[in-house]
Structures are given as C-alpha cells and as structure tokens.
Amino acid sequence: MLEYSASINWWVLEVFTAVWCFVLGSVIGSFLNVVIYRMPLGLSLSKPKSRCPMCETPISTRDNLPILGWLLLKGRCRNCQAPISIRYPIVEVLVGVFFLLLYWSLVYSGGRFLPYRFPNREWGAYQIIMGRTWDLIALYVYYCYLFVVVLAAAYIQFDRQTIPRRLLLWCFLFGILIGAFIPELHPVPAVISVQPDSVSVVLNEVVLTKTTYHSSLHWGVEKQTLITLGCGLVYGMIIGFLFTWPFLLQKEKSKCVFQPKTFFLLILIGLYLGWQQVITVGFLAAFCLACSELFSRNQRSEYYRLPASTFLVVALAMQMLLGKYLTVLSHDMETSFYLIFMGAQITAIPILTGFAQHIYHNREFQETLQDPIPFDETSTITS
C-alpha cells in the first residue's frame, strides 16, 4: 500500500512538472507576441498595456491569458468583435510544446539525448528531487532562451521586417557572459579526445555504468570553455556565410528567399551549441529549405513566403531535442571518415541553399510573366 501511494505521488509530481513547463512556455510565448509586434517598431515592451488594434480598448487580465483567452473570446475582441489573429495562440502553443518536449528530452531523461555527455542513471522526477540535474536545468534555460530568440526572429522576418539589433545583441551578450562562466552549458567541447584503443573504451564504460552522475554547476572561466565558445563563433560565421551566400552576394536583395540578418542567427547558434552542432543545424536547415522550395515550386509566392529562418527554427528544435542522434562526433568513427563526413555536410550547405534560391528566383520570374499587363482603353497608338 505504501509503495502504491509513493508511486502515485511520484506520478502526480511528474505530471505537475510537465504541466508547469507547458504553462511557462505558453506565458513566455504570450510575451513573445509582444516582442514580435513591438520591438521592430521601436515601441516599449511594457507600456502601454496590450489593447485591441481596432478599437484600442485595453485587454483585461482574464482575456489576456495565454491560449485560453483567445479560446474564450472565440478569436474576437470583447468590445468591438474585431477578429484577433490566430497567430497569437499558435505562438503560445509552439513555445509551450517546445518547453515541454525539451524538458522531457533534456531534464526528465537525465540528458540521454545530449551528444557526448554521459547520461544520469535515474529518470524522471526522482533525480530532480535529489538535486542531480542542476547542470541540465541550467542548460534547459540556456537552450530555451536561444530558441525563443530565433523563433521571434523568424516571425519578424515573416512579417517582412528587419530583426531588431537589440534582440540579437542581448542574446549574444547572454551567451558570451553566462556561457563563459558556466562550463556545464557546453556539454560538447570543441576538442574531443579520441580513445587510443578499444580496451580503454570498455574500461571507461564499465566504470561509468557503476557510478552515478552527480551533476552540479561550477562557476569560473576555463580555457576549454573559451575555446569552445571561440570555435562556435568562428564556425557560426562560416556556416552563416555558406547558408546565406545567395543573399550576401546577390545585388537585388528583395528577390531572395533569405532575409537580412539571417547570417547572425547562425552565429548565435554556433555560440550556444558549439561548432559541431551548428554544422548539423546548418545542414538540416538547408536540406529542409531546399525540399520546401522544391515541393512548392508551383505555388505563388504570395501564398508561400516562409523565410529561410523558419527552417533554422525547425533544425534548431530538432538538434536540441535529438542532438545525440543527429550529431556525429570525432570519437564515433575513424578520423579520416569523420573529416570526410563533416566536409560533405559543410559542402552541401551552399549547394542546397543555392538550389533553393534558384527555384525561388524561377518562381518569381514565372509570376512576372504571368501577371497581366495593365491596359488603358483610352490610350491610342500613334505613329
């Protein structure tokens, strides 16, 4: 009976933690809607209070609840019945679901989906109560902040606006200052030592399986952490250039699938995730972008205008949730094969993005030819 009661208590605790993560994400998503709308216009994020854009009536607290407020209002203003865009609850749901999934894959699982890091022996809420997930909780906050910034940037570019400089600057400063002083925020170091033989690998696995991973946070600047940050920045710049080269080298910036400052998003991803993972994110985003443009080549651009940063969001989410299965590290294969594999990924990025830009340009050209030429019946042709 006592064991059954204890299991029920653990189940309730785990459900409560999962619901709390989703609610937290939806609340941050609600604030993200404010950032997406106000920051590009240079408006204050705190004042004035949220209001209806049609009748300018301030939105009450009960109507401003994430997701529920829009559902209770049935997508219309309480005062003037003007329609409220469905995009607001979509952003709240997206952020809430991501926070929940990242909690499950990162904290709840004991880091089993992280590349390189040895996972905890316990699952679930037990390890949280015992204080064995402080490094994972810190990494959870670190990754969530990067995700919401990249998501906000993608929505801002979807509205055909420029990403605000202060949004990128604050994310960069947070990644540099916090990332430099907490080594646990970089579970994949820039330099990974390869085991000399199979015997040492077996011995290490035996030792690690017989010990419990007691996680903790260590404050201080370490040489390895600075090297990881530096390599992440450098590779972020390289992958950013290879990913956005059709925009950077093209004269007509308006006729491009890429938007301004997409280059800086990959620099941030390299800073937060490291050089190995930014290569994976760049390749996945380029592959998704090329496939999306290929499948939508017959659609008009006015109905299909997703910016390239949308696919960075998708690739970043996949990498954060399933990084262990998407990232290949140097100790996973022989050095020669590893260099060939990483080189192939890097080479494929500009090829895929160039292919996507070629399809986009052809679609724009075909639409120009199909558009009817305006004709003035009152005009006459004289010779």
Side-chain angles (χ1 to χ4, degrees), residues 109-128:
S109 68
R112 280 171 170 77
F113 295 92
L114 277 175
Y116 191 68
R117 179 190 183 275
F118 188 77
N120 297 0
R121 292 182 61 183
E122 293 85 8
W123 282 64
Y126 174 78
Q127 58 172 346
I128 302 176

Side-chain angles (χ1 to χ4, degrees), residues 98-107 140 143-144 320-321:
F98 176 79
F99 274 42
L100 176 60
L101 293 178
L102 187 63
Y103 161 75
W104 180 83
S105 67
L106 194 62
V107 182
Y140 175 80
Y143 281 3
C144 284
M320 289 181 174
L321 297 175

Side-chain angles (χ1 to χ4, degrees), residues 160 243-260 293 305-308 353 356-358 360-361 363-364:
R160 290 298 187 265
F243 186 81
T244 61
W245 72 268
F247 173 81
L248 298 176
L249 302 182
Q250 185 171 329
K251 295 182 179 180
E252 297 182 10
K253 305 293 186 181
S254 59
K255 297 181 179 181
C256 188
V257 69
F258 301 91
Q259 298 293 325
E293 289 293 329
R305 54 188 186 93
L306 293 178
T353 54
Q357 174 59 28
H358 175 71
Y360 181 86
H361 180 75
R363 186 173 61 204
E364 290 283 331

Side-chain angles (χ1 to χ4, degrees), residues 146-206:
L146 174 64
F147 177 80
V148 296
V149 169
V150 177
L151 180 63
Y155 265 100
I156 291 172
Q157 289 188 338
F158 179 79
D159 294 334
R160 290 298 187 265
Q161 293 179 313
T162 304
I163 303 174
R165 187 178 304 174
R166 56 175 173 164
L167 179 67
L168 301 174
L169 182 60
W170 278 113
C171 187
F172 180 81
L173 292 178
F174 183 83
I176 283 287
L177 297 179
I178 304 300
F181 285 93
I182 305 180
E184 284 77 16
L185 297 180
H186 306 283
V188 183
V191 181
I192 298 177
S193 59
V194 181
Q195 299 293 345
D197 51 36
S198 59
V199 176
S200 60
V201 174
V202 174
L203 291 176
N204 285 335
E205 290 181 353
V206 171

Side-chain angles (χ1 to χ4, degrees), residues 15 23 46 93 122 124 142 167 182 242 244 249 279 289 307 336 349:
V15 171
V23 172
S46 58
V93 170
E122 293 85 8
Y142 198 61
L167 179 67
I182 305 180
L242 296 178
T244 61
L249 302 182
I279 294 177
L289 174 62
S336 57
I349 293 175

Side-chain angles (χ1 to χ4, degrees), residues 6 33 37 109 119 197 225 242 247 299 344 352-353 376 379:
N33 283 318
Y37 176 76
S109 68
D197 51 36
T225 304
L242 296 178
F247 173 81
Q299 297 183 14
L352 291 172
T353 54
D376 188 1
S379 62

Side-chain angles (χ1 to χ4, degrees), residues 196-356:
D197 51 36
S198 59
V199 176
S200 60
V201 174
V202 174
L203 291 176
N204 285 335
E205 290 181 353
V206 171
V207 172
L208 289 175
T209 53
K210 292 180 179 295
T211 60
T212 303
Y213 188 91
H214 297 278
S215 62
S216 59
L217 293 179
H218 303 88
W219 295 86
V221 180
E222 298 181 0
K223 181 180 179 181
Q224 185 179 20
T225 304
L226 296 179
I227 294 176
T228 302
L229 287 173
C231 292
L233 279 175
V234 172
Y235 272 84
M237 295 178 185
I238 295 174
I239 301 301
F241 174 80
L242 296 178
F243 186 81
T244 61
W245 72 268
F247 173 81
L248 298 176
L249 302 182
Q250 185 171 329
K251 295 182 179 180
E252 297 182 10
K253 305 293 186 181
S254 59
K255 297 181 179 181
C256 188
V257 69
F258 301 91
Q259 298 293 325
K261 297 185 180 179
T262 306
F263 169 79
F264 296 100
L265 296 179
L266 280 158
I267 295 179
L268 292 177
I269 294 174
L271 175 65
Y272 278 71
L273 300 186
W275 71 270
Q276 300 97 329
Q277 298 188 77
V278 74
I279 294 177
T280 305
V281 171
F283 172 76
L284 290 175
F287 179 77
C288 293
L289 174 62
C291 292
S292 177
E293 289 293 329
L294 180 62
F295 294 145
S296 62
R297 62 185 183 277
N298 295 326
Q299 297 183 14
R300 294 183 63 87
S301 60
E302 61 188 43
Y303 300 107
Y304 185 85
R305 54 188 186 93
L306 293 178
S309 53
T310 304
F311 304 96
L312 283 179
V313 175
V314 175
L316 179 62
M318 292 173 58
Q319 179 63 34
M320 289 181 174
L321 297 175
L322 302 170
K324 181 178 180 180
Y325 304 101
L326 297 177
T327 304
V328 178
L329 302 176
S330 58
H331 68 283
D332 295 329
M333 60 179 65
E334 296 183 3
T335 304
S336 57
F337 289 105
Y338 178 73
L339 294 177
I340 294 174
F341 180 80
M342 298 301 287
Q345 277 191 316
I346 295 174
T347 305
I349 293 175
I351 297 176
L352 291 172
T353 54
F355 176 70

